[in-house]
Amino acid sequence: MLGVRLPLSFAAAIIAGPAFAQEADGFDISGSARLRYETITNQPRAGFNTDDDLVNLRTTLLARYRSGPVSFVAELWDSRAYASETGTPVSTNEVNALELVQAYAAVDLSPGNGSKLNLRAGRFTLNIGSRRLVAADDYRNTTNGYTGFQANLAAKGGVNATLIYVLPQQRRPDDPAAIRRNAIVFDHEGFDLVLWGGTAAKARAIGPLTAEISYYHLGERDTPGRPTRNRSLNSWGGRILRVPGAGKADVEFEAYYQSGTIRASTASNAAVLPVSAWFIHAEAGYTFAGPWQPRLSLEYDRASGDRAGGRYGRFDTLFGMRRADLAPAGLYNAVGRANISTPGIRLELVPSKRVDLFGSYHALWLAEPTDSFSTTGVRDASGRSGGFAGHQLDARLRWWIRPNTLRFEANGVILAKGRFLERAPNAPRGGDTVYGSFNLTANF
């Protein structure tokens, strides 16, 4: 494949299959290997190759020991990228070679009155609430890891709560040359980057609706040789939802307001700006009864952008995922939860237990015409290029070739560029964007 020699882990996973998993005396080991080829034509992000392709390989190995209420878990991730060239957008989103992302101890407790409490300490991954602020990204070749403490409470009456105090793992190496050679460097965590807060939810809080409230604080500061914008962000929000079900309508509405301070740049003497930013996600859908379980939904996402005036207004999604709502990461990675206003429509289908697919359409606008559009880096500070970025068609097909063992996945995106992406001063020249990825994942 493009003259690239890949490690043997992927082939070994396919050959070994489920027989490779072991369970004895409370100990088990499992893992996965995912091979991805992705390609893009007319890259919409500024500063990269117009046309590109990339090979990603992600291998994980998880070991778990459980004795009564106590468990110990360790998980190794090996994320690598191949066939990159000068100008290929390869970063720690693609490469994090041989990293112990998880290494924690956990205990399950019963405080009484039917409640259950799980405590974790160490290195672990997190998926909290909607995953729009705190998530372990799955589509991306690397994931988000966190080091610290977590408490999960499940109480009577459908009450659930999660509290965290963690140091987000900062993936290393992060210099381009080392990343391109898949160098192995242990990730950094420290009190220069801290995340704490929590989410509480109650089922059937408003009729059939689940209600959820959240607060998270992110604190960031410089370390020697690594300047930052010294973010001090408070993210307040809530969500109401009714989960999809056959023959039922469903709904989801989530909103966050962000306050705090941020430096105008990474310079140590840069002005400190107050933050006032926000984000909303609204969705209404209906799942039709039938063998294919078709679900049709209308969606709207808006995340604020920055503008002149002494305040910083660009929403920061912290460690949230993007694939489920907006678009793939990888070589595309152009549409995220920042300076965007996008209504959309989505159709999801499940033809069989082994196949699922969806297709979506989004019209893309800038929430603030003078800020860079979403995560493209394309900007017109004058605002003269308008506010319409284009039309996005996105589709995904997943097929279990061998149930629970081997799965194929294909993703495709077409971005028909609007006036902004055609006329902004630093917009890449070229026609409409076409992105595709083909994935084969083996679980063992």
Side-chain angles (χ1 to χ4, degrees), residues 24 110 122 138 204-205 326 386 412 419 423:
S110 298
D138 182 61
R204 304 189 69 84
L326 298 169
R419 178 185 172 188
R423 300 187 183 183

Side-chain angles (χ1 to χ4, degrees), residues 249-323:
D250 60 87
V251 66
E252 181 182 15
F253 179 81
E254 185 167 34
Y256 280 99
Y257 178 72
Q258 216 160 56
S259 63
T261 59
I262 189 172
R263 283 200 304 225
S265 73
T266 58
S268 60
N269 61 349
V272 176
L273 305 175
V275 173
S276 180
W278 56 277
F279 160 77
I280 62 169
H281 171 85
E283 181 176 347
Y286 187 85
T287 303
F288 297 88
W292 283 36
Q293 304 173 46
R295 177 179 178 266
L296 185 65
S297 60
L298 299 176
E299 308 168 338
Y300 180 68
D301 288 88
R302 187 180 181 96
S304 61
D306 193 30
R307 66 171 68 180
R311 285 182 174 269
Y312 186 77
R314 187 176 178 88
F315 185 76
D316 190 323
T317 195
L318 303 183
F319 305 94
M321 60 77 200
R322 73 174 72 197
R323 180 67 186 105

Side-chain angles (χ1 to χ4, degrees), residues 25-27 64-72 106-109 118:
D25 300 325
F27 178 78
R64 183 190 309 270
Y65 175 75
R66 184 174 182 89
S67 178
V70 178
S71 59
F72 300 91
V107 60
D108 293 318
L109 303 173
N118 174 266

Side-chain angles (χ1 to χ4, degrees), residues 1 48 109 172 348 363 384 420:
M1 184 175 290
F48 300 115
L109 303 173
R172 298 287 191 267
E348 302 168 70
R384 294 193 197 94
F420 177 83

Side-chain angles (χ1 to χ4, degrees), residues 268-393:
S268 60
N269 61 349
V272 176
L273 305 175
V275 173
S276 180
W278 56 277
F279 160 77
I280 62 169
H281 171 85
E283 181 176 347
Y286 187 85
T287 303
F288 297 88
W292 283 36
Q293 304 173 46
R295 177 179 178 266
L296 185 65
S297 60
L298 299 176
E299 308 168 338
Y300 180 68
D301 288 88
R302 187 180 181 96
S304 61
D306 193 30
R307 66 171 68 180
R311 285 182 174 269
Y312 186 77
R314 187 176 178 88
F315 185 76
D316 190 323
T317 195
L318 303 183
F319 305 94
M321 60 77 200
R322 73 174 72 197
R323 180 67 186 105
D325 290 339
L326 298 169
L331 286 178
Y332 185 61
N333 209 33
V335 180
R337 214 165 279 113
N339 193 31
I340 191 171
S341 176
T342 175
I345 186 169
R346 181 182 303 258
L347 177 63
E348 302 168 70
L349 300 169
V350 185
S352 72
K353 292 182 179 180
R354 296 170 62 172
V355 177
D356 66 84
L357 63 152
F358 80 79
S360 70
Y361 162 77
H362 283 90
L364 306 172
W365 277 271
L366 289 76
E368 172 49 57
T370 60
D371 192 10
S372 59
F373 170 60
S374 199
T375 51
T376 62
V378 178
R379 183 181 184 185
D380 183 352
S382 71
R384 294 193 197 94
S385 297
F388 183 62
H391 305 274
Q392 177 184 271
L393 296 171

